[in-house]
């Protein structure tokens, strides 16, 4: 049967529900992470495309501007009839503010086409006009020559190009021919410009626009009418830097190739920032003056912003944190609910237990029922005991009644060894809870007996918890809860202690109730005895006084004396009874006062014996007193007289027709007084009891009396610091011996205290 202390459903809920919530939350976090990552990536791609297109567009716009400027320059040159002079050209270039508005261009030039026969005259003319060192180079025989006549601005770099025959070099020539044959702008492939010098050499290219003597009408005419080319040389790096800005500031790497193949030969420009194997890259085609360029954009590491890169991780981090938080919150919710349910179960259990205990005062019946309840709801087995005057009262509970019997037998056989340091005996002797939770196979070592160990093994007990039943700081008994499902926790311990309190209160209440009921019964009995006892001498008094009057009428003096003696005895008896009642109330109220003085016990004995002569004679009890010497001590004379009177009265009452011996002697510091009769005697079982209040060992029908005489004797003797004991056997007579110290330590104060602690039943 499953243990009901921790239902499996609750255990499952404690772990499964928070885990499920955490799993859902984690899945959501992962999905969000995935989504954000994809969105960030898409955004990056879009941004990259946009930037790349913007870059290409900027380059196209710039090149278009140069082309437009070249067309304007052609217009200018045509306006001079194809023969611009140096000053005019320079003025023109200055007027368009080349270096200001056309940054990235290396220069703007005029290149004259020369048939072989024209070279000499041309050189001479130029030398004459402005440049004495002018020459057309390189040397050599060629079908058509060309010469850079003007190139503005005429800085040191451009000066190196003056006179150069670009037509002699194939790459340039291809472009120049194309320009000549199409009449449109034509860019060259990559070349090293003749201006190039120094260490930072760049790839370059040139854009040409042919100038004719007049508008040609056919392709053939184009060759014939060709006057030259306006052209612009470009240093690719300067051009691209001025167009797109400096490389270090850019987050997108740029490489430009002439043509569609991205080979090192075709490379015009590479800013060198592109990372190898970068994920984001795009190649765009760009038409530049009749050539196709490939513009390759590649995102650098700096392109992906740190925020964008961190965002998915941030989302994942926040998601994970939320998951942990949710798990924690759900778990504490579930735990709190579990605790609330546990509290409710606990309250229900305690309510059921108190209901059982309240339903019947007799805990001998209710304790086993509560033990069963505990075994069903709190533990697997519950064993307990209550210490009674007649020995421990054992009880046990188990869901299986046969096993409960077995546990009860094993526990009873084990008993409560006061030396035991574990389990119930330990809880009882220390008044503290005692717990054992070890490996299951170790717990039986704490059993205290082989029988109990065997039971523990059979029921696989792996934890036990003993709690004492305490009342006013005293242990009345103990209960032990045994578990076969792991150790007890703080809740179980609190519950066990609550249960122990309930049981202790129930046992205490029952005992107090029973004691009160006993006291009431004893008082009622006493009242009936007392009224009977008082009525007997009163009846005798009434009869005797009537008879006295009759005798007085007859003048019978002898009868008068006899009857007045009888009346006297009745009065004496009444006086003794009333004195006893008075002593009862005095002793109960702690007001037994002593008048200590030197008293001779032998003398007191002689007085009492003398007073008893007549009564003893009537009962046919010969009295003998053995008091050879005075026995003096500091005592209360009247009380000693009362002690002896009570003992002697009993001896005569319970031993009529037999002798009674009284002895008084000194024994060192002590004084001994004994009264011996040969009457009915007292059984051993009754000998202790008869010294208690109202206790009697004879039937009311045969012997009158309050049951107070011996109690008063004991109280007086003890208050004088002495003891009283009896030796007797039924039918063999009794000897009551009083031992007194001759210099008594009066215990009056002590007695007062004691009297108030035992509430009088007559109250
Ligand atoms: P009471 O004599 O009034 O009953 P006591 O207190 O004097 O009360 O005695 C208590 C009981 O002790 C008596 O009822 C009697 O049973 C027993 N008892 C006392 N003295 C003697 C005795 N000398 N012999 C036999 N029984 C005695």
């Amino acid at each position: 049967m499953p243990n009901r202390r921790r239902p499996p459903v609750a255990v499952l809920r404690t772990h499964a529900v928070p885990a499920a919530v955490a799993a859902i939350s984690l899945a959501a976090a992962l999905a969000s992470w995935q989504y954000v990552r994809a969105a960030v990536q898409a955004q990056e791609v879009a941004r990259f495309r946009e930037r790349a297109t913007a870059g290409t567009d900027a380059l196209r716009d710039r090149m278009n501007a140069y082309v437009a400027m070249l067309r304007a320059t052609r217009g200018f040159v045509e306006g001079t009839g194809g023969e611009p002079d140096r000053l005019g050209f320079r003025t023109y270039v200055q007027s368009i503010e080349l270096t200001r508005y056309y940054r990235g261009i290396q220069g703007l030039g005029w290149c004259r086409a020369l048939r072989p026969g024209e070279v000499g005259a041309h050189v001479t003319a130029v030398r004459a006009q402005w440049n004495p060192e002018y020459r057309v180079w390189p040397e050599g025989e060629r079908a058509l020559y060309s010469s850079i006549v003007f190139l503005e601005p005429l800085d040191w770099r451009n000066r190196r190009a003056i006179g150069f025959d670009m037509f002699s070099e194939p790459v340039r020539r291809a472009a120049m021919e194309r320009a000549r044959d199409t009449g449109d702008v034509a860019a060259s492939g990559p070349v090293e410009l003749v201006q190039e010098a120094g260490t930072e050499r760049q790839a370059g290219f040139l854009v040409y626009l042919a100038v004719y003597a007049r508008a040609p009408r056919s392709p053939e005419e184009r060759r014939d009418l060709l006057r030259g080319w306006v052209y612009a040389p470009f240093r690719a790096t300067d051009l691209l830097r001025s167009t797109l800005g400096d490389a270090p500031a850019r987050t997108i790497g740029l490489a430009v190739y002439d043509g569609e193949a991205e080979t090192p030969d075709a490379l015009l420009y590479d800013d060198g920032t592109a990372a190898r194997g970068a994920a984001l890259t795009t190649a765009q085609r760009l038409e530049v003056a009749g050539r196709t360029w490939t513009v390759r954009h590649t995102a650098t590491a700096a392109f992906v912003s740190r925020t964008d890169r961190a965002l998915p991780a941030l989302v994942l981090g926040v998601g994970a944190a939320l998951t942990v938080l949710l798990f924690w919150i759900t778990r504490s919710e579930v735990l709190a609910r579990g605790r609330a349910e546990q509290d409710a179960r606990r309250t229900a259990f305690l309510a059921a237990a108190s209901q059982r205990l309240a339903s019947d005062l007799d805990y001998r019946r209710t304790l086993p029922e509560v033990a069963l309840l505990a075994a069903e709801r709190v533990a697997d087995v519950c064993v307990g005991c209550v210490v009674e005057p007649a020995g421990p009262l054992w009880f046990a509970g188990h869901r299986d009644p046969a096993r409960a019997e077995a546990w009860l037998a094993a526990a009873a056989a084990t008993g409560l060894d006061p030396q035991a340091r574990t389990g119930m005996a330990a809880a009882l002797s220390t008044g503290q809870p005692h717990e054992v939770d070890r490996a299951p196979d170790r717990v039986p070592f704490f059993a205290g007996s082989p029988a109990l160990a065997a039971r523990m093994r059979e029921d696989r007990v792996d934890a036990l918890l003993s709690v004492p039943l305490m009342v006013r700081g005293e242990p009345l008994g103990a209960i032990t809860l045994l578990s076969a499902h792991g150790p007890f926790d703080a809740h179980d311990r609190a519950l066990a202690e609550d249960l122990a309190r309930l049981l202790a209160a129930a046992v205490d209440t029952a005992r107090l109730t029973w004691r009160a009921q006993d006291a009431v019964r004893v008082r009622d009995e006493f009242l009936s005895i007392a009224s009977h006892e008082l009525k007997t001498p009163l009846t005798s008094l009434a009869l005797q006084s009537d008879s006295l009057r009759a005798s007085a009428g007859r003048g019978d003096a002898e009868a008068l004396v006899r009857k007045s003696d009888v009346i006297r005895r009745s009065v004496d008896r009444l006086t003794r009874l009333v004195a006893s009642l008075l002593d009862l109330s005095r002793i109960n109220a702690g007001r037994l006062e002593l008048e200590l003085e030197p008293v001779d016990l032998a003398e007191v004995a002689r007085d009492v014996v003398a007073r008893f002569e007549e009564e003893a004679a009537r009962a046919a009890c010969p009295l003998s007193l053995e008091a050879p010497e005075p026995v003096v001590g500091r005592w209360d004379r009247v009380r000693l007289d009362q002690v002896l009177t009570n003992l002697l009265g009993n001896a005569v009452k319970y031993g009529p027709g037999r002798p009674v011996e009284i002895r008084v002697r000194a024994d060192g510091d002590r004084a001994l007084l004994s009264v011996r009769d040969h009457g009915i005697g007292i059984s051993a079982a009754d000998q202790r009891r008869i010294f208690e209040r109202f206790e009697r060992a004879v039937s009311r029908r045969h012997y009158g009396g309050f049951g107070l005489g011996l109690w008063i004797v004991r109280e007086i003797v003890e208050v004088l610091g002495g003891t009283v004991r009896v030796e007797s056997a039924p039918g063999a007579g009794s000897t009551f011996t009083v031992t007194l110290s001759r210099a008594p330590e009066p215990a009056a104060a002590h007695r007062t205290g004691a009297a108030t602690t035992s509430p009088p039943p007559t109250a």
Side-chain angles (χ1 to χ4, degrees):
M1 197 179 281
N3 182 10
R4 300 185 192 173
R5 193 147 52 90
R6 294 183 190 86
V9 178
V11 175
L12 188 72
R13 206 169 49 196
T14 314
H15 297 93
V17 174
V21 169
I24 292 169
S25 162
L26 194 65
L30 284 173
S32 311
W33 169 68
Q34 188 67 28
Y35 176 78
V36 169
R37 208 173 58 146
V40 164
Q41 268 171 6
Q43 204 181 22
E44 252 170 39
V45 168
R47 196 156 58 91
F48 171 72
R49 291 251 161 81
E50 196 180 306
R51 294 273 292 277
T53 308
T56 309
D57 289 349
L59 191 55
R60 182 185 294 115
D61 291 351
R62 181 63 73 94
M63 292 315 294
N64 286 343
Y66 294 140
V67 168
M69 186 269 289
L70 271 182
R71 289 188 200 283
T73 308
R74 179 171 67 174
F76 164 73
V77 174
E78 280 172 355
T80 64
E83 283 293 354
D85 62 24
R86 185 178 172 244
L87 199 62
F89 193 80
R90 174 169 286 180
T91 312
Y92 168 76
V93 172
Q94 280 172 354
S95 75
I96 63 170
E97 295 190 61
L98 184 78
T99 49
R100 181 168 170 194
Y101 292 115
Y102 302 95
R103 293 179 56 218
I105 201 166
Q106 178 59 33
L108 180 61
W110 165 243
C111 174
R112 183 75 163 83
L114 296 166
R115 277 76 193 172
E118 297 169 342
V119 175
H122 167 74
V123 169
T124 314
V126 172
R127 281 187 182 164
Q129 274 174 34
W130 60 277
N131 188 353
E133 286 155 26
Y134 181 74
R135 67 187 179 95
V136 174
W137 57 280
E139 305 282 326
E141 294 285 314
R142 291 188 286 276
L144 180 68
Y145 297 89
S146 80
S147 172
I148 298 170
V149 185
F150 306 131
L151 183 56
E152 293 292 337
L154 195 60
D155 53 20
W156 68 270
R157 251 184 218 284
N158 284 345
R159 214 178 274 277
R160 285 163 56 99
I162 296 296
F164 176 57
D165 176 1
M166 291 187 283
F167 210 72
S168 68
E169 192 275 317
V171 176
R172 291 174 177 79
R173 186 164 73 213
M176 293 165 92
E177 284 173 346
R178 202 153 36 85
R180 177 195 67 194
D181 297 343
T182 59
D184 202 351
V185 281
S188 76
V191 294
E192 183 170 287
L193 297 179
V194 287
Q195 288 94 325
E196 236 14 275
T199 47
E200 201 213 347
R201 291 177 171 246
Q202 305 180 359
F205 67 96
L206 305 101
V207 181
Y208 298 92
L209 192 57
V211 178
Y212 307 94
R214 58 176 170 79
R217 280 191 287 269
S218 68
E220 289 71 37
E221 263 191 9
R222 287 185 186 279
R223 292 176 187 228
D224 299 341
L225 296 174
L226 179 72
R227 295 296 303 219
W229 297 265
V230 288
Y231 86 101
F234 293 89
R235 296 180 86 211
T237 303
D238 289 354
L239 169 72
L240 286 152
R241 276 198 191 151
S242 76
T243 309
L244 302 171
D246 275 346
R250 290 166 47 75
T251 53
I252 295 185
L254 177 71
V256 181
Y257 297 88
D258 176 71
E260 297 192 357
E262 298 174 29
T263 59
D265 290 347
L267 184 67
L268 277 172
Y269 170 74
D270 186 351
D271 65 8
T273 53
R276 267 178 188 282
L280 282 178
T281 181
T282 171
Q284 293 175 337
R285 308 280 177 239
L286 176 64
E287 289 301 318
V288 177
R291 287 191 82 83
T292 303
W293 284 1
T294 299
V295 182
R296 160 103 18 218
H297 290 277
T298 307
T300 66
F303 176 78
V304 185
S305 85
R306 222 174 273 173
T307 328
D308 287 353
R309 213 174 313 157
L311 201 60
L314 188 73
V315 167
L316 191 62
V318 169
L322 278 177
T323 301
V324 171
L325 195 69
L326 262 180
F327 176 78
W328 185 76
I329 289 174
T330 316
R331 191 158 171 276
S332 30
E333 271 301 306
V334 168
L335 285 179
R337 198 166 147 195
R339 269 198 295 275
E341 283 172 5
Q342 209 171 23
D343 282 351
R345 273 203 302 280
R346 182 171 144 178
T347 314
F349 164 69
L350 289 176
S354 14
Q355 200 195 353
R356 296 276 161 88
L357 292 170
S359 66
D360 188 345
L361 191 65
D362 192 346
Y363 51 81
R364 286 166 299 207
R365 281 191 294 266
T366 55
L367 288 182
E369 291 176 18
V370 174
L372 173 62
L373 205 63
E376 282 171 345
R377 301 202 194 171
V378 190
D380 295 291
V381 187
C382 174
V383 182
C385 85
V386 172
V387 181
E388 303 270 73
L393 165 71
W394 293 92
F395 55 95
H398 191 288
R399 282 185 282 275
D400 175 355
R403 293 219 189 164
E405 283 299 320
W407 274 100
L408 188 64
T414 308
L416 291 169
D417 176 6
Q419 303 301 317
R421 270 179 284 157
T422 58
M424 201 130 43
L428 249 177
S429 59
T430 62
Q432 296 292 328
H434 190 269
E435 198 174 345
V436 177
D437 55 20
R438 300 289 170 97
D441 52 335
R442 303 280 325 271
V443 173
F445 289 114
F446 298 88
S449 79
L452 214 48
R455 283 249 53 80
M456 287 185 182
R457 275 194 203 97
E458 193 170 316
D459 278 354
R460 279 196 260 278
V461 167
D462 55 11
L464 63 88
L465 171 61
S466 298
V467 187
L469 312 183
M470 303 293 287
V471 164
R472 292 179 286 280
E474 289 295 322
L476 297 183
I479 49 162
T480 297
L481 299 178
L482 300 107
S483 161
H485 296 83
F488 294 95
D489 60 17
H491 284 273
D492 300 327
R493 278 189 283 277
L495 184 57
E497 285 178 23
D498 285 347
L499 176 63
R501 267 192 285 277
L502 269 183
L503 297 183
V507 171
D508 190 40
T509 307
R511 284 182 177 175
L512 289 177
T513 310
W514 289 336
R515 205 175 297 162
Q517 285 170 345
D518 265 357
V520 170
R521 182 180 50 73
V522 168
R523 191 189 63 180
D524 289 349
E525 253 171 43
F526 171 73
L527 284 178
S528 104
I529 293 170
S531 44
H532 177 79
E533 287 297 305
L534 291 172
K535 206 174 148 206
T536 311
L538 281 175
T539 313
S540 150
L541 265 181
L543 285 173
Q544 293 303 326
S545 58
D546 287 349
S547 156
L548 194 67
R549 174 176 286 186
S551 301
R554 284 198 305 275
D556 185 348
E558 202 179 311
L560 270 179
V561 172
R562 217 175 43 242
K563 281 171 186 158
S564 64
D565 281 352
V566 174
I567 288 174
R568 177 71 220 175
R569 282 199 297 276
S570 290
V571 169
D572 283 350
R573 190 163 169 212
L574 267 178
T575 309
R576 276 212 303 276
L577 287 173
V578 172
S580 294
L581 288 179
L582 214 66
D583 283 341
L584 170 70
S585 69
R586 274 205 198 116
I587 292 170
N588 278 341
R591 285 200 321 261
L592 191 64
E593 280 156 19
L594 297 180
E595 277 178 33
L596 297 180
E597 58 183 332
V599 178
D600 179 1
L601 188 57
E603 191 190 318
V604 174
R606 273 193 294 277
D607 285 355
V608 177
V609 169
R611 212 165 57 233
F612 260 87
E613 283 299 348
E614 196 186 331
E615 192 175 333
R618 261 202 318 278
C621 290
L623 296 183
S624 66
L625 170 65
E626 186 189 327
E629 52 182 4
V631 179
V632 180
R634 263 185 77 76
W635 297 305
D636 182 314
R637 172 183 287 275
V638 178
R639 292 296 171 193
L640 280 187
D641 185 304
Q642 199 178 353
V643 166
L644 195 49
T645 305
N646 285 357
L647 292 179
L648 211 49
N650 279 349
V652 171
K653 184 156 101 188
Y654 299 112
R658 310 276 170 86
V660 173
E661 293 115 28
I662 301 107
R663 284 180 73 195
V664 175
R665 65 193 169 89
D667 179 11
D669 271 356
R670 300 183 307 160
L672 297 175
L673 162 69
S674 64
V675 178
R676 181 173 183 200
D677 65 59
H678 300 273
I680 58 171
I682 309 156
S683 74
D686 291 331
Q687 283 175 19
R688 262 175 81 83
R689 193 167 60 81
I690 51 174
F691 288 99
E692 297 299 327
R693 195 168 46 178
F694 308 131
E695 292 290 351
R696 309 191 71 223
V698 288
S699 102
R700 246 171 82 188
R701 257 192 295 145
H702 297 111
Y703 299 96
F706 286 165
L708 283 173
L710 285 181
W711 176 67
I712 292 169
V713 166
R714 195 193 72 189
E715 288 291 323
I716 291 171
V717 169
E718 284 183 358
V719 95
L720 283 170
T723 56
V724 57
R725 63 192 154 81
V726 61
E727 287 159 56
S728 178
S734 316
T735 305
F736 286 86
T737 309
V738 171
T739 310
L740 291 170
S741 166
R742 294 171 74 178
E745 287 293 319
H750 168 74
R751 295 302 308 165
T752 308
T756 52
T757 54
S758 55
T762 46

